[in-house]
Amino acid sequence: MLTWLEQFLIRYPELALFLVIAAGYWIGSFKIGAFSLGPVTGALFAGLVVGDFAHVPVSSMTKSFLFLLFLFGVGYSVGPQFVQAMKRDGLKPVLLAVVVCLTGLAAAIAVGRILGLDPGFAAGLMSGSLSQSAAMGTATDAVNGLAVPEAQRALYISHIAVADAVCYIFGYAGVIMQA
């Protein structure tokens, strides 16, 4: 029925990217009481929908550039608060970060083994549930180093992004519901 739209998005992947960003801002603007998803979570939802609808090819250079741009934006907005916390509290935040990272890694490994997840889903589970976007880049590099066929590597890398988005969205929804 909408094959023309699917073919259009596949032919012009840059327009698919702008569609995801615009839809993400639109979805993120909805408020239910004091709760709103925000543009980042909205863009993750929109990306999942568009990615399920049309398998849009995105070059690895574009993926890397946009991912690094995202990391820069997060670091730029959070960096001053991090430095202030380190000056004020010192060792406590470092210890908390180490404990959270090790616990999250152990939980992701355990859940991945119990559920029989492939390396991509397991890595995405960890990066999304811990909201550690940098772990996506590390996992992608690790998957690229695996001695598996190229098609299998591409599948694992796509699984990283999907699992990250799903775990990020539902992880934050769970935290917000508990608050």
Side-chain angles (χ1 to χ4, degrees):
M1 180 167 135
L2 292 175
T3 54
W4 66 270
L5 180 60
E6 179 183 5
Q7 293 304 315
F8 180 79
L9 294 175
I10 290 170
R11 183 175 171 123
Y12 302 105
E14 55 280 340
L15 293 179
L17 174 67
F18 289 123
L19 172 68
V20 166
I21 292 170
Y25 268 91
W26 182 67
I27 292 169
S29 68
F30 290 116
K31 289 190 177 202
I32 300 173
F35 173 76
S36 72
L37 291 175
V40 173
T41 308
L44 287 172
F45 267 127
L48 286 172
V49 170
V50 170
D52 186 51
F53 175 71
H55 298 286
V56 179
V58 180
S59 72
S60 61
M61 176 68 174
T62 303
K63 287 179 189 177
S64 295
F65 175 74
L66 292 173
F67 180 67
L68 291 173
L69 191 62
F70 169 75
L71 289 179
F72 169 77
V74 169
Y76 189 75
S77 65
V78 177
Q81 297 157 348
F82 174 77
V83 171
Q84 287 175 356
M86 290 302 291
K87 284 180 183 176
R88 186 183 44 219
D89 296 326
L91 190 60
K92 285 191 267 182
V94 172
L95 290 175
L96 178 63
V98 169
V99 168
V100 168
C101 289
L102 291 176
T103 305
L105 177 62
I109 291 170
V111 169
R113 287 197 176 145
I114 291 169
L115 297 179
L117 300 176
D118 67 42
F121 279 132
L125 171 80
M126 185 191 72
S127 67
S129 61
L130 293 174
S131 69
Q132 283 295 319
S133 300
M136 283 181 66
T138 304
T140 301
D141 286 344
V143 167
N144 280 327
L146 292 176
V148 296
E150 182 61 36
Q152 191 71 26
R153 254 186 267 156
L155 181 66
Y156 289 165
I157 290 172
S158 67
H159 286 174
I160 294 170
V162 170
D164 177 84
V166 170
C167 291
Y168 180 88
I169 290 167
F170 288 108
Y172 272 102
V175 167
I176 291 169
M177 297 296 182
Q178 295 294 325

